[in-house]
């Protein structure tokens, strides 16, 4: 089930809500992340908000990018370096990618002995750096629900998130609430004023229990997969790390003379006087398009100023005295 393409209004709504959460909570919102386990890519959540935990500061010191879950769950420790391939219980190609990425972001330190690569962790991984994951599905207009109910039922049965919320601009009626799973919270959000009304609180989901994930839909039945708690822990870790590294300002800015950015870093068009979706509205198809260099935006500086995320930290290096004598 591929992710639907957002309309321009949905894109603007999504960015406005991310900006609102960034400024009114201590959460780290990120956009458009995979939220399935048994069938990767079949569920894309609009917003994943990471709620910081007690060791959040320790996580910010390591790297501003995402660390592969495969590397975090490997047998690579902070003591004696190990041959990279021996530390992973997964296919070599996947282990190789995780090792390279972990070294690149500074989580692993690498050294070569007799033409073989050995790795150790630069620091211990703070497993309690996040306390909750909140999944938010945006549907500004409830009059055009699309696959909304199917998506929300998947989120509830899989329980990859600790909470799931539906955010809308529409007036929410009792009939709407009756169709939405009881566990799903409902927000009414005005992207123009930034006002957010909690229509219904979200109920906690059992993120540490076996989940049920629909993997294929048929006319008379649905094929499902049981997702064990261990697989969900890995998926949650991957989701939290990807949200930490990606954030919500991952869009390209339009290369047009009318393009600009507002104080939140959202792409705006001076010609049309509103936030625009560069991926679907801008370019040679636009009647007002005039080629120019895209506007400047320091995404990292803006994110660091508004959240607890730290851009380009110094990193953590552990030096092992006398280690060379063991090789």
């Amino acid at each position: 089930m591929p992710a639907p393409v957002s309309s321009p209004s949905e894109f603007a709504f999504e960015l406005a809500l991310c900006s609102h959460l960034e400024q009114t909570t201590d959460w780290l919102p990120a956009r458009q992340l995979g939220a399935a386990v048994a069938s990767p890519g079949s569920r894309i959540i609009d917003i994943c908000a990471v709620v910081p935990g007690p060791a959040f500061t320790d996580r910010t010191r390591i790297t501003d990018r995402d660390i592969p879950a495969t590397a975090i769950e490997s047998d690579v420790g902070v003591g004696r370096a190990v041959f990279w391939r021996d530390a992973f219980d997964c296919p070599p190609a996947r282990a190789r990618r995780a090792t390279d990425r972990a070294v690149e972001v500074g989580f692993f330190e690498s050294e070569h002995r007799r033409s073989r690569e050995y790795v150790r962790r630069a620091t211990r991984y703070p497993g309690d750096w996040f306390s909750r994951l909140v999944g938010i599905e945006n549907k500004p207009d409830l009059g055009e629900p699309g696959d909304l109910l199917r998506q929300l039922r998947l989120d509830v049965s899989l329980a990859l998130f600790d909470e799931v919320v539906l955010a809308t601009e529409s007036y929410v009626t009792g009939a709407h609430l009756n169709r939405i799973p009881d566990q799903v919270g409902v927000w009414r959000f005005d992207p123009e004023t930034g006002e957010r009304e909690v229509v219904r609180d979200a109920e906690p989901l059992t993120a540490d229990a076996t989940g049920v994930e629909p993997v294929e839909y048929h006319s008379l039945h649905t094929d499902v997969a049981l997702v064990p708690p261990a697989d969900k822990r890995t998926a949650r870790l991957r989701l939290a790390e990807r949200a930490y590294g990606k954030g919500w300002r991952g869009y390209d800015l339009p290369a047009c003379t009318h393009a600009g950015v507002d104080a939140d870093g959202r792409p705006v068009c001076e010609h049309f006087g509103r936030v625009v979706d560069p991926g679907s509205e801008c370019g040679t198809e636009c009647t007002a398009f005039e080629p120019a260099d895209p506007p400047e935006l320091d995404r990292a500086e803006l994110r660091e100023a508004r959240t607890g995320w730290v851009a380009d930290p110094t990193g953590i290096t552990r030096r092992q005295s006398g280690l060379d004598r063991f090789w």
Side-chain angles (χ1 to χ4, degrees), residues 265-289:
R266 294 177 293 176
V268 295
C269 176
E270 296 174 356
H271 179 81
F272 293 107
R274 60 177 175 83
V275 172
V276 291
D277 182 354
S280 64
E281 294 186 276
C282 301
T284 55
E285 298 288 325
C286 176
T287 56
F289 177 73

Side-chain angles (χ1 to χ4, degrees), residues 35 43 149-165 180-185 200 203-207 209-214 232:
R43 174 67 172 116
L149 296 183
R150 178 183 292 183
Q151 292 167 333
L152 293 177
R153 291 189 185 111
L154 183 156
D155 295 335
V156 169
S157 64
L158 178 57
L160 192 60
F161 299 96
D162 297 279
E163 296 176 7
V164 173
V165 173
I180 298 167
D182 293 340
Q183 300 92 331
V184 176
R200 184 171 75 188
E203 295 183 11
L205 301 177
T206 53
T210 298
V212 178
E213 180 180 340
K232 285 176 59 175

Side-chain angles (χ1 to χ4, degrees), residues 300-307 309:
E301 181 181 29
L302 191 55
R303 190 183 188 198
E304 184 176 46
R306 295 191 173 194
T307 71
W309 178 85

Side-chain angles (χ1 to χ4, degrees), residues 39 71 81 91 100 104 117 126 135 139 159 186 195 208 219 243 269 273 278 282 295 297:
S39 182
D100 291 342
E104 178 188 356
E117 183 181 11
K139 188 58 64 176
V186 180
E195 294 182 6
D208 58 350
S219 57
C269 176
C282 301
L297 172 62

Side-chain angles (χ1 to χ4, degrees), residues 30-53:
R31 300 176 48 247
Q32 300 296 310
L33 296 178
V37 182
S39 182
S42 64
R43 174 67 172 116
I44 305 297
I45 194 74
D46 287 335
I47 300 174
C48 170
V50 180
V51 182

Side-chain angles (χ1 to χ4, degrees), residues 66-79:
D66 60 291
I67 304 171
T70 303
I72 296 168
E73 295 184 333
S74 70
D75 290 332
V76 177
V78 296

Side-chain angles (χ1 to χ4, degrees), residues 247-270:
W248 62 271
R249 298 180 181 89
Y251 39 77
D252 292 328
L253 294 175
C256 175
T257 189
H258 300 297
V261 291
D262 65 8
D264 299 324
R266 294 177 293 176
V268 295
C269 176
E270 296 174 356

Side-chain angles (χ1 to χ4, degrees), residues 132-215:
R132 288 185 298 133
L133 298 179
V134 180
I136 304 170
E137 183 64 22
N138 300 319
K139 188 58 64 176
D141 183 4
L142 291 180
E144 299 180 3
D147 286 333
L148 175 64
L149 296 183
R150 178 183 292 183
Q151 292 167 333
L152 293 177
R153 291 189 185 111
L154 183 156
D155 295 335
V156 169
S157 64
L158 178 57
L160 192 60
F161 299 96
D162 297 279
E163 296 176 7
V164 173
V165 173
L166 166 65
T168 183
E169 194 174 358
S170 298
Y171 177 75
V172 182
T173 67
H176 289 136
L177 293 177
N178 288 336
R179 287 194 294 269
I180 298 167
D182 293 340
Q183 300 92 331
V184 176
V186 180
W187 296 344
R188 191 180 184 198
F189 178 69
D190 186 333
E192 297 297 327
T193 65
E195 294 182 6
R196 174 166 58 99
E197 174 193 0
V198 178
V199 178
R200 184 171 75 188
D201 288 322
E203 295 183 11
L205 301 177
T206 53
D208 58 350
T210 298
V212 178
E213 180 180 340
V215 293

